[in-house]
Amino acid sequence: MPYCRNCGAELEDNDRFCAKCGSPADQAVSGAAQSSPSKKQKKPKNTGLIITIISLSLVLVSVLAVAGVYIVQNTDLIPSGNYSSKKDRDDDDDKDDKDKDDDDDDDDDKKPVVIKPGSNSITVGISMPTKDLQRWNQDGDYLKKELEAYGYEVDLEYAANDVATQLSQVENMIDSGCDLLIIAAIEGSSLGEALDMAEQMNIPVIAYDRLLMENDTVDYYVTFDNYMVGTIQGQYIVDTLNLDNVSGSFTIEFTAGDPGDNNALFFYIGAMDVLNPYIDSGKLVCVSGQTDFSDVATASWKTENAQSRAETVLNAYYADGTNIDAWLCPNDSTALGVENALEYCYFGSYPIITGQDCDISNIKNMLAGKQSMSVFKDTRTLAQRVALMADQILQGQTVEVNDTETYDNGKKVVPAFLCEPTLVTSSNYIEILVDSGYYTEDQLTG
Ligand code: GAL
């Protein structure tokens, strides 16, 4: 039985027009092709459903496509290949990322290594305090060479002992897209803004020789055992004066380092832990009475500052001919100041003077009998260790440390690698400084 194609009414075989709607019967279809008008009415609904499904599919595909593009774009910022997230590096054993992300105390977990988008090279920024002291020049040179040998680009800056300059230099390094920072701070607590920036950019930070204070952004610390430096100096005085075996008492004065440098306190405490028992027993007498760190500290480690305080002490307490048997100095620049002061304002027998760094002028003074010892901190060793650590961080390897307890910067205990310092005197300087290729003999005697 045919049906009207227009309204679906039943037609007779010989109808020329539909009796219901008047449409020509040639618009009629057979029952096989058109089962019922109601179905015919549903046809637009089915079409809508299909269109809806297609539309939803398109939307879904678009969403997935956009998400895919986002992920692909962001892989530029995600370590790939040898690079892995800090979370992975710092705690391979801990598979529970959620727990780690929730752990506010361990911000290392939140920092992936960042590779500059669109760049194959990796740049390490090195911020050194000053060129004024010989050692920092050597530190910078060795460190640059070591890092370049690993294939990294190096941006090495010196801050002329000016905190604001160091701050802006580090900020510039971050702005220029450096991938890792190595900082020897002028003042440990003054780089907070730059460190916060580094944290936002997920740039790992290694504190070099001096600890970065009051900030939890600092990831690692590489230094010499600073407390041990102090004990070597203190023990040298005890041994040389033979305090355990001779009777009588000896006079001593103290100079300490820069209060803005965390190392200075470690050196002083190390030395005083050795010397205090002798002060308490009266074997050592500090004639000026100045033994508090704050009284004997030397701003900026400057030779002239150490010299001016030493002159004041000498004029006030030793002008009457009192002898000084020992003067504890934390490093070579301050020792030089005390040596200058002794030359101008002191006429007694020459005291034991300690130092640290084995700067050339101080080794020369040592050979001339004006300085008794220095503590050698081989900057080649330090540079090698820091470069290795930087490489371990950047390559996503386990980072080697040997101290996880000592260096609390006020916000966190910074995992550290401590190198061992060496006592140098006129008896062993050839072996330690010349034979090892650190200096030529000409540099020390010329
Ligand atoms: C300290 C460093 C010493 C000495 C001093 C003066 O932080 O550990 O070796 O060089 O600064 O620059």
Side-chain angles (χ1 to χ4, degrees), residues 133 135-136 209-210 226 261 263 267 301 331 356-357 377:
L133 289 196
R135 70 152 294 182
W136 299 115
D209 193 74
R210 298 173 174 174
N226 297 305
D261 178 352
N263 288 357
F267 301 147
W301 297 96
N331 83 328
Q356 168 186 197
D357 289 339
K377 305 198 299 190

Side-chain angles (χ1 to χ4, degrees), residues 391-411:
D391 188 55
Q392 286 171 340
I393 294 170
L394 290 166
Q395 301 302 325
Q397 297 163 356
T398 303
V399 178
E400 233 179 300
V401 294
N402 62 8
D403 183 293
T404 52
E405 288 172 4
T406 310
Y407 288 99
D408 186 339
N409 78 348
K411 292 282 183 198

Side-chain angles (χ1 to χ4, degrees), residues 130 133 161 186 210 257-260 298-303 305 333-334:
T130 175
L133 289 196
N161 248 342
I186 295 166
R210 298 173 174 174
D258 183 355
T298 309
S300 307
W301 297 96
K302 281 207 160 133
T303 297
N305 294 343
S333 62
T334 53

Side-chain angles (χ1 to χ4, degrees), residues 287 310-324 344-348:
V287 178
E311 287 176 358
T312 307
V313 168
L314 288 171
N315 291 333
Y317 301 98
Y318 295 90
D320 62 358
T322 307
N323 257 338
I324 305 175
Y344 301 130
C345 315
Y346 176 70
F347 307 98

